[in-house]
Amino acid sequence: MADRIKVLIVDDHQVVRRGLRTFLEVQDDIEVVGEAADGAEGVARAEELRPDVVLMDVKMPGTDGIDALRGLRELDNRARVLIVTSFTEQRTVVPALRAGAAGYVYKDVDPDALAGAIRSVHAGHILLQPEVAGALLSQDEVNSGQGRGGSLTDREREVLGLIADGRSNREIARALVLSEKTVKTHVSNILMKLDLADRTQAALWAVRHGVTG
């Protein structure tokens, strides 16, 4: 099916990869297109296979998940990365989100919740637990846009508020009766004006400064 969500699984434990694949292969709208055993292989496979979503472990020998995220960003790979981890500490999860992950789930996640998370990040949403969002909000780069909100146009503030609500570009376009291309331009302008790296930081900035959809 052409509209299936293509997923790449990156984890150093074969049993974990096998378990994830077994479950995901019964989903009508999800297709597992490949696996990788470490971050370096994951980046190479992502470039080869062009998945929509990458399920990425954090702690792996050699190139870990955080370095792999940075590698994907440097290559401008458009895959959305969902961290699948057994570590609950903020010092493990927060760097991954800062490196560009769209969210995270724990390895003991309910299978249906995992499928829902994949669909959610594929749609452009951001998955954050409140305690981790709070930790991210304290980071310097999220605060770098302090005082710059006044440079946003009214339309850009509308778009920013909808980003904070977890809306994808397509959903924002529908809500504001705009083309997706126009929404992408607004998002780029927002990131530039607030000196932020990605939608995750933009969403956190919006929450902190009371900009809502």
Side-chain angles (χ1 to χ4, degrees), residues 62-73:
T63 303
D64 64 16
I66 295 172
D67 285 338
L69 276 159
R70 292 173 180 146
L72 289 172
R73 176 177 284 180

Side-chain angles (χ1 to χ4, degrees), residues 6-11 16-17 20-21 23-24 30 32 34-36 42 51-58 60 79-85 105 114-115 117-118 121:
K6 296 185 293 183
V7 173
L8 172 67
I9 301 170
V10 183
D11 194 290
V16 173
R17 299 197 306 271
L20 291 171
R21 177 184 280 274
F23 167 69
L24 294 176
I30 296 174
V32 177
E35 301 178 13
D52 301 306
V53 176
V54 178
L55 301 184
M56 181 85 73
D57 192 11
V58 176
M60 294 180 286
R80 301 276 287 171
V81 178
L82 179 64
I83 294 296
V84 183
T85 180
V105 295
L114 174 61
I118 290 171
V121 298

Side-chain angles (χ1 to χ4, degrees), residues 7-201:
V7 173
L8 172 67
I9 301 170
V10 183
D11 194 290
D12 60 314
H13 292 101
Q14 183 177 12
V15 67
V16 173
R17 299 197 306 271
R18 184 178 300 163
L20 291 171
R21 177 184 280 274
T22 298
F23 167 69
L24 294 176
E25 285 182 339
V26 304
Q27 303 297 311
D28 291 337
D29 60 339
I30 296 174
E31 176 187 4
V32 177
V33 295
E35 301 178 13
D38 61 42
E41 184 184 3
V43 172
R45 295 287 278 165
E47 281 295 284
E48 172 193 355
L49 300 170
R50 292 289 167 172
D52 301 306
V53 176
V54 178
L55 301 184
M56 181 85 73
D57 192 11
V58 176
K59 298 293 186 180
M60 294 180 286
T63 303
D64 64 16
I66 295 172
D67 285 338
L69 276 159
R70 292 173 180 146
L72 289 172
R73 176 177 284 180
E74 289 174 2
L75 293 169
D76 199 27
N77 190 290
R78 299 300 183 181
R80 301 276 287 171
V81 178
L82 179 64
I83 294 296
V84 183
T85 180
S86 57
F87 295 91
T88 61
E89 298 92 343
Q90 290 183 10
R91 66 176 180 271
T92 299
V93 177
V94 168
L97 293 169
R98 292 175 62 189
Y104 71 96
V105 295
Y106 298 127
K107 286 187 177 178
D108 61 355
V109 65
D110 177 86
D112 290 333
L114 174 61
I118 290 171
R119 296 180 185 112
S120 183
V121 298
H122 177 249
H125 299 168
I126 298 166
L127 298 180
L128 295 177
Q129 297 294 331
E131 66 273 14
V132 174
L136 278 168
L137 282 169
S138 68
Q139 301 298 330
D140 288 342
E141 65 266 32
V142 176
N143 292 328
S144 65
Q146 181 76 33
R148 298 179 185 173
S151 67
L152 298 178
T153 66
D154 289 342
R155 178 64 84 187
E156 288 165 354
R157 291 183 71 85
E158 286 182 304
V159 171
L160 180 58
L162 292 171
I163 290 174
D165 287 342
R167 305 285 191 93
S168 66
N169 284 351
R170 179 175 298 179
E171 290 170 331
I172 294 172
R174 288 174 179 170
L176 300 181
V177 195
L178 300 170
S179 69
E180 284 191 61
K181 183 178 180 180
T182 298
V183 172
K184 288 179 182 178
T185 299
H186 285 314
V187 173
S188 295
N189 289 340
I190 290 165
L191 297 179
M192 179 184 66
K193 288 181 178 181
L194 298 181
D195 192 23
L196 301 174
D198 52 39
R199 294 172 73 96
T200 301
Q201 291 185 7

